[in-house]
Amino acid sequence: MVSESSESKQSASVIFVLLISAAAALGGFLFGFDTAVINGAVVALGDHFNVGPVLVGLSVSLALIGSAVGALASGFVSEKYGRIRPMLLAAVLFTVSGIGAGFPFTVWDFIFWRFLGGVGIGLASAITPAYIAEISPAELRGRFGSLQQLAIVTGIFVAMLSNYMMVDFAGGSAAMDLWLGFEAWRWMFWAEVPPALLYGFAALMIPESPRYLIGTGREKEAETILAKVLGESVLEKIEEIKVTLAVEGKASFAAVRGSKGLKTVVWLGLGLSVLQQFVGINVIFYYGSMLWRSVGFSEQNSLWITVITGVVNIVTTLVAIAFIDRVGRKPLLLVGSAGMLITLGILAYLFGHAAGGSADHPVLSGASATAALISANLYVFCFGFSWGPVVWVLLGEMFNNRMRASALALGAGAQWIANFVVSASFPSLVNWAGLGITYSIYAFFAAVSFFFVLFLVKETRGRELEDM
C-alpha cells in the first residue's frame, strides 16, 4: 500500500513538472515562431522597401542583436526579479513586436520592431532552460529540458506552415487579397500575437523557481513547490541547496570570472553556443524559401519545402527527448556533428558543381535537386536530435547554482551574436563566394564541433545541479 502511494506521488510530481515546464517552454515556441516567420516575408519585404541584399540581411539579422541584448540582460534581471517576471516582460515584447512589424513605414522602423521582439526572444531563450533545469528532477532533467527545443522547432514549423498557407491563399507573399486589404506578409507577423498573449497568461500560472526562492530567503514557498516537484520530503533537499548557496556565495556575474577572464566551464558553454550557430542551421530557417527559389523552385514550392523541413525538425527533437537521458548528452552531440559534416559536405559539392546558373544562383535539376533536398533535410535531422536540444539542456545544467543565471545569459548572448554573424553574412557571402563555398564553411565548423565535444565536453547525465 505504501509502495502504491509512493508511486502515485511520484507520478503526480512528474505530471506537475511536465505541465509547468511545458508552460515555460511556450517562450521557446515564440522564440521559434518569431525567428522563422521572417522566412516567408523576406523576399516581399525586400521588394516592398526596394532594398538590396545588405539591408535584407540586416532586416533579418538585427533582431538577433536584440536577442543578444535580451539574453545578456537576463542574468541580472532573473537574479533580481526571479524567473517569472522576465517571462511576462518577454510576452509583452513579443506582442508589441508582432503588431508593429506588420505596420512598418520604412525598413528602419521594421528593424526596430524586430529588434524589440529580439529582446523578448533573448530573455525567453536564457530564462526558460534555467527555470526548467531548476524545477526538474535530475533523472528527468534532460527530457524536460528538451521541451525548450521541442517548443522552438514547433514554433518554427507553425510559422512556416502559416506562411505557406497565407501565400497559397493570397497568391503570393506580397498579394493584398488575404484579409482586410493587407498583404500576406503583414499577417505573418500579426499571427504571433495570440501565442504571445497565451505565453503571458501561462507565466502568471506557474510557480517561481524553488532555488531562486531559497536564495532570496523564501523557504516556505520553496518547500511547497519542491514537495510537488519531488513528491516526497524536501527538507533535506532544501538544506542541500542552502549549503551550496552558502558555499558558493550569492549569485552574481562575479561568479563566472576566472583566471582566463572566465571560468573554464563558462568558456565551454560559450563554445557550445557559438558552434551551434556556426554550422549554419538558421540559414535553412531564415533563408530557406529564398535559398530554394534561387536554385529553381517556385515561391509556393519553396515554402512547402520549408514546411517539410519543420516537420523533420520536430520528429528529430522527439528522438532527442527519447534518448537524451538514456544515452547521454555527449554521444548525441558527436553523432550529430558527424552527420552534419557529411550532409553539409554534400550540399557544398552540389551547389558548387551545379550544371546551370552561377555560383551565387546555381540551378539544380533532376537528381541534383533531389539529392540537395534529401541532404538538407538529413542535415536538419542530424542537428535536430543533437546540437539543437542538447546544447540548451547543457547550458541549463552544466553550471552551479551561483553562476547559472549569469553563465547562461553569456552563453545565450554569445549564441545570438553568432546567429547574427551567420545570418547577416549569408546574403553577401553567397553573392561574393557562391553557395558552394558558403556551405563548405559551415561544414568546416561541423568538423570543429565534433572535436570540441570529443576532447572538451563532459557528460552531465543524471547529476544533481548541486553537484555541478
Side-chain angles (χ1 to χ4, degrees):
M1 190 70 178
V2 175
S3 177
E4 288 181 8
S5 175
S6 176
E7 286 183 13
S8 177
K9 286 183 179 179
Q10 188 174 20
S11 177
S13 69
V14 169
I15 292 172
F16 174 73
V17 178
L18 175 61
L19 289 175
I20 60 178
S21 297
L26 280 172
F29 176 89
L30 284 159
F31 163 0
F33 189 100
D34 192 271
T35 53
V37 74
I38 191 72
N39 192 335
V42 64
V43 175
L45 282 167
D47 294 339
H48 179 78
F49 294 119
N50 193 27
V51 294
V54 173
L55 274 180
V56 168
L58 289 176
S59 68
V60 172
S61 56
L62 277 179
L64 305 177
I65 295 299
S67 300
V69 171
L72 292 170
S74 67
F76 168 79
V77 174
S78 63
E79 290 301 344
K80 186 172 179 62
Y81 299 106
R83 313 311 190 227
I84 303 302
R85 289 182 183 177
M87 292 183 192
L88 292 171
L89 175 58
V92 171
L93 292 173
F94 282 129
T95 303
V96 173
S97 171
I99 295 171
F103 279 120
F105 297 100
T106 68
V107 68
W108 298 109
D109 64 280
F110 173 80
I111 288 172
F112 169 77
W113 294 118
R114 295 292 295 159
F115 176 88
L116 206 62
V119 176
I121 293 172
L123 284 171
S125 69
I127 289 169
T128 298
Y131 177 83
I132 294 176
E134 291 175 348
I135 206 80
S136 303
E139 67 275 11
L140 296 173
R141 195 173 56 239
R143 294 182 188 180
F144 287 147
S146 297
L147 289 175
Q148 159 86 340
Q149 182 66 13
L150 179 61
I152 292 171
V153 299
T154 302
I156 291 171
F157 167 72
V158 172
M160 290 176 170
L161 181 60
S162 65
N163 285 353
Y164 171 78
M165 292 174 67
M166 289 180 189
V167 168
D168 184 58
F169 184 79
S173 54
M176 297 187 65
D177 55 350
L178 187 57
W179 291 296
L180 305 177
F182 292 110
E183 299 98 324
W185 65 265
R186 297 182 189 272
W187 287 101
M188 292 176 184
F189 297 107
W190 293 336
E192 184 178 355
V193 174
L197 295 174
L198 178 62
Y199 177 47
F201 178 76
L204 289 171
M205 304 298 291
I206 61 178
E208 184 54 83
S209 161
R211 286 173 171 82
Y212 169 78
L213 292 172
I214 292 170
T216 53
R218 296 155 65 183
E219 291 180 27
K220 284 295 182 183
E221 294 177 59
E223 182 179 345
T224 301
I225 297 167
L226 281 173
K228 293 180 180 179
V229 168
L230 300 176
E232 57 189 26
S233 176
V234 297
L235 296 180
E236 185 177 339
K237 172 56 70 176
I238 290 175
E239 288 303 314
E240 185 182 353
I241 294 171
K242 287 170 66 178
V243 167
T244 60
L245 289 172
V247 170
E248 295 162 0
K250 188 176 180 181
S252 70
F253 265 107
V256 303
R257 295 174 187 162
S259 58
K260 299 177 182 178
L262 298 171
K263 285 185 166 58
T264 300
V265 69
V266 181
W267 283 117
L268 289 176
L270 293 176
L272 286 168
S273 293
V274 170
L275 286 170
Q276 189 202 49
Q277 297 303 314
F278 275 13
V279 295
I281 187 64
N282 281 312
V283 166
I284 296 289
F285 296 122
Y286 296 163
Y287 296 104
S289 63
M290 178 187 287
L291 170 66
W292 297 118
R293 287 177 73 176
S294 73
V295 297
F297 292 89
S298 68
E299 180 180 26
Q300 285 176 282
N301 286 339
S302 296
L303 287 172
W304 182 242
I305 291 169
T306 65
V307 171
I308 294 171
T309 302
V311 173
V312 171
N313 211 8
I314 292 175
V315 171
T316 53
T317 303
L318 293 173
V319 172
I321 290 174
F323 288 99
I324 192 168
D325 283 322
R326 296 181 183 180
V327 304
R329 286 60 162 152
K330 190 167 181 174
L332 289 178
L333 289 176
L334 289 172
V335 174
S337 291
M340 288 190 296
L341 173 60
I342 294 169
T343 50
L344 284 169
I346 292 172
L347 285 170
Y349 177 84
L350 291 172
F351 290 142
H353 293 79
S358 58
D360 59 334
H361 285 91
V363 176
L364 302 177
S365 60
S368 295
T370 303
L373 285 174
I374 294 172
S375 297
N377 282 290
L378 284 175
Y379 162 62
V380 172
F381 180 90
C382 294
F383 180 88
F385 72 74
S386 61
W387 282 79
V390 176
V391 168
W392 285 113
V393 171
L394 282 172
L395 289 177
E397 68 184 8
M398 67 191 291
F399 309 116
N400 64 39
N401 286 330
R402 185 186 178 200
M403 70 168 69
R404 182 171 303 109
S406 299
L408 220 164
L410 290 174
Q415 188 172 131
W416 288 113
I417 292 171
N419 193 339
F420 168 77
V421 170
V422 172
S423 302
S425 64
F426 178 73
S428 300
L429 190 59
V430 170
N431 283 343
W432 172 65
L435 274 172
I437 291 177
T438 300
Y439 272 78
S440 296
I441 294 171
Y442 303 148
F444 167 78
F445 282 108
V448 171
S449 73
F450 180 89
F451 293 105
F452 181 88
V453 173
L454 182 65
F455 293 114
L456 298 175
V457 174
K458 295 180 180 179
E459 184 59 67
T460 57
R461 177 170 64 108
R463 295 177 62 191
E464 293 285 348
L465 294 181
E466 284 64 49
D467 297 331
M468 296 297 179

